[in-house]
Amino acid sequence: MTFLTRRFFSREGGNSTTSHRTPLTSITGELLSDPDSELAKFLFVPPSQQRQQQTQSSLNNEEEYNENETAIPSIKSNRAWAYCLALESPTVRSDRIVMVYETYAIFGALFLGGTWVLYEWGSTLAYGGGQGHEVDAINRIMYMIFEPTMAIAIGLNILLAFLGSMMWIMSISFSASNPNWAYSCRHMTVYMQMLFTCMLVYFVTLGLVLGVIAKFAPSIPTVIITLVLIGVAEIPGQYYMGKLVREEVPLELYHSSLWWKLLLSPQSVLTKKGRLDLQKDASSRAATLREQFFSGNRVTHNSTTASSTSQRVDLQNLLKKAAKSIGRSDIDISIYIARLEADLYTDIGHLTGEDVDELSRFMPRRLAKEVHKIIMMAGTIGKKKQRKKQRGNIYSH
């Protein structure tokens, strides 16, 4: 089982970044700094400055696209749909991952009622079924296919609601204390997305079509008219959904598996112009996400962003130094930083004056004692420098 798990996760690429635990707050940064990681490939992060120039040239030169449609490689995985959330700020992704699984749990339970009503309506073993007319050979075949189809649909629906509720509970419990929870849940997020799609789009729709044929088979015009009206109602929704995905999330669509692209936006796959346009739009969105992530601000670059980023780095360096001093440089300090930031301790200066008891609320006491010691030593050194400076000023006068 362990072997299979390693084989499964090794497909994401990268060196050893995902094979062992890294500090939670820095794992996305570390993955993006590794050009072989799947997250770096998702954002088209170039492995070198030379590659960056080539990539930028390919993004801005339509002729180069025309010559080589595979100038920018795709990861060809539906995990792409989970990466954008993992690149959000810790607070945003902590809240939204809870909402995602809450949605799956609630709507999975709600859709189960609709799936069951469809089964009751179409089955010969439940409400009505084939009663009212003689069940001929065609009807018998339709019912033979309908029964297992709806059984699979109901099973997938129950599984969706069950897993959604379990992940909902786990996300409430762990997402706030584990800033990397959204990234770690990427496999489950994509799995549930596929589960939802297979349940609703494939099996429920197929069950509906089979039920209509079986119920109204003696009247061919009725079957045709019913299926046409269902198609008229469903096809525009699918079209506009694909159009929305194509225009607003082209990067995720570009990296998706081929069958998923064909399901959502076939015109982006089947025509050369569609493929080129999708590639350019995906590149543009990737550049936007890279800028937002590396700037540390979701809107603009400004002095406040630079200051807050610098403060966070200083706080990380302080805890890393303290952990190294007590011989535990291997411990994960990101949890303690997240706890400090939750109480608005975002700068080393905010910790000045706090005693060991207060610091131990956010981290192990031994580490808190070392942090307090470093802060006190830094304060003492700072005061000595200030006295020397004052003496120098006095002598100069």
Side-chain angles (χ1 to χ4, degrees):
M1 188 68 180
T2 305
F3 172 75
L4 293 176
T5 304
R6 288 176 179 173
R7 291 289 296 172
F8 176 72
F9 282 103
S10 66
R11 293 179 63 187
E12 294 185 34
N15 298 328
S16 58
T17 311
T18 57
S19 62
H20 63 276
R21 267 294 168 207
T22 54
L24 294 176
T25 53
S26 62
I27 189 170
T28 51
E30 290 182 8
L31 288 170
L32 290 175
S33 66
D34 177 10
D36 293 326
S37 71
E38 191 173 79
L39 188 61
K41 294 176 182 177
F42 168 72
L43 287 183
F44 303 140
V45 175
S48 65
Q49 185 64 28
Q50 180 181 6
R51 173 62 180 167
Q52 184 176 11
Q53 294 173 354
Q54 294 173 353
T55 304
Q56 188 62 38
S57 173
S58 66
L59 300 186
N60 298 327
N61 191 340
E62 185 173 355
E63 293 181 0
E64 188 170 344
Y65 276 114
N66 292 334
E67 293 175 1
N68 184 10
E69 292 183 23
T70 60
I72 304 178
S74 166
I75 64 175
K76 298 179 181 179
S77 170
N78 287 345
R79 282 188 295 268
W81 293 84
Y83 286 144
C84 186
L85 180 59
L87 294 171
E88 289 284 356
S89 64
T91 302
V92 171
R93 62 175 178 252
S94 174
D95 292 340
R96 290 185 182 174
I97 194 66
V98 173
M99 297 178 188
V100 167
Y101 292 122
E102 179 184 5
T103 303
Y104 278 125
I106 292 175
F107 282 95
L110 290 175
F111 285 139
L112 180 58
T115 306
W116 182 259
V117 167
L118 178 59
Y119 170 73
E120 287 274 353
W121 172 78
S123 175
T124 57
L125 306 177
Y127 161 77
Q131 298 176 9
H133 61 80
E134 184 179 351
V135 179
D136 56 19
I138 296 179
N139 293 98
R140 212 172 283 116
I141 294 173
M142 291 296 107
Y143 285 128
M144 287 175 62
I145 302 175
F146 174 83
E147 293 290 340
T149 298
M150 293 309 299
I152 295 172
I154 292 172
L156 294 178
N157 210 320
I158 294 174
L159 184 60
L160 178 67
F162 171 74
L163 291 177
S165 62
M166 289 298 297
M167 293 303 298
W168 185 9
I169 294 170
M170 292 179 69
S171 295
I172 291 173
S173 301
F174 305 122
S175 64
S177 61
N178 186 340
N180 204 43
W181 180 256
Y183 177 80
S184 300
C185 290
R186 63 197 181 280
H187 297 287
M188 279 301 300
T189 302
V190 175
Y191 170 72
M192 295 185 69
Q193 183 186 36
M194 298 299 102
L195 192 64
F196 182 83
T197 303
C198 290
M199 180 272 296
L200 188 61
V201 177
Y202 294 142
F203 290 99
V204 173
T205 302
L206 177 59
L208 179 60
V209 172
L210 293 173
V212 168
I213 296 174
K215 295 283 281 188
F216 305 132
S219 177
I220 301 301
T222 304
V223 173
I224 294 175
I225 292 173
T226 304
L227 292 179
V228 168
L229 290 176
I230 292 173
V232 168
E234 186 172 340
I235 291 174
Q238 292 288 336
Y239 171 78
Y240 289 121
M241 177 63 73
K243 182 177 175 63
L244 176 66
V245 169
R246 169 63 185 82
E247 293 176 353
E248 299 303 327
V249 284
L251 180 61
E252 287 79 356
L253 182 64
Y254 180 78
H255 284 299
S256 298
S257 304
L258 178 60
W259 70 271
W260 188 248
K261 291 181 185 178
L262 290 171
L263 180 65
L264 287 179
S265 182
Q267 66 274 18
S268 300
V269 180
L270 300 178
T271 65
K272 184 175 182 179
K273 184 179 185 303
R275 292 192 295 270
L276 297 177
D277 290 343
L278 177 62
Q279 191 175 39
K280 286 188 288 185
D281 291 344
S283 303
S284 177
R285 175 166 164 77
T288 301
L289 290 177
R290 286 198 305 270
E291 181 181 2
Q292 289 175 346
F293 178 81
F294 288 116
S295 70
N297 190 300
R298 311 307 291 179
V299 183
T300 57
H301 295 276
N302 50 41
S303 58
T304 304
T305 296
S307 175
S308 62
T309 303
S310 175
Q311 290 171 356
R312 183 180 180 83
V313 170
D314 291 341
L315 197 60
Q316 287 178 339
N317 290 337
L318 171 64
L319 266 67
K320 285 180 179 179
K321 183 177 180 180
K324 186 176 181 180
S325 298
I326 63 175
R328 292 301 306 274
S329 57
D330 60 318
I331 64 174
D332 179 16
I333 64 169
S334 60
I335 298 176
Y336 314 135
I337 292 177
R339 291 174 182 170
L340 288 166
E341 291 180 341
D343 268 20
L344 302 183
Y345 288 101
T346 57
D347 182 38
I348 295 178
H350 300 160
L351 301 179
T352 304
E354 301 290 1
D355 56 19
V356 175
D357 290 335
E358 177 65 18
L359 294 175
S360 63
R361 291 176 50 229
F362 308 99
M363 63 191 76
R365 188 172 184 82
R366 187 182 174 196
L367 182 62
K369 290 173 67 175
E370 190 64 27
V371 169
H372 183 264
K373 177 182 174 182
I374 293 173
I375 293 174
M376 294 297 292
M377 290 177 59
T380 302
I381 294 172
K383 288 179 180 179
K384 288 182 179 179
K385 288 183 177 180
Q386 188 174 8
R387 287 197 211 102
K388 287 182 179 180
K389 185 176 181 180
Q390 289 175 348
R391 288 173 189 162
N393 292 337
I394 291 173
Y395 294 146
S396 64
H397 288 298

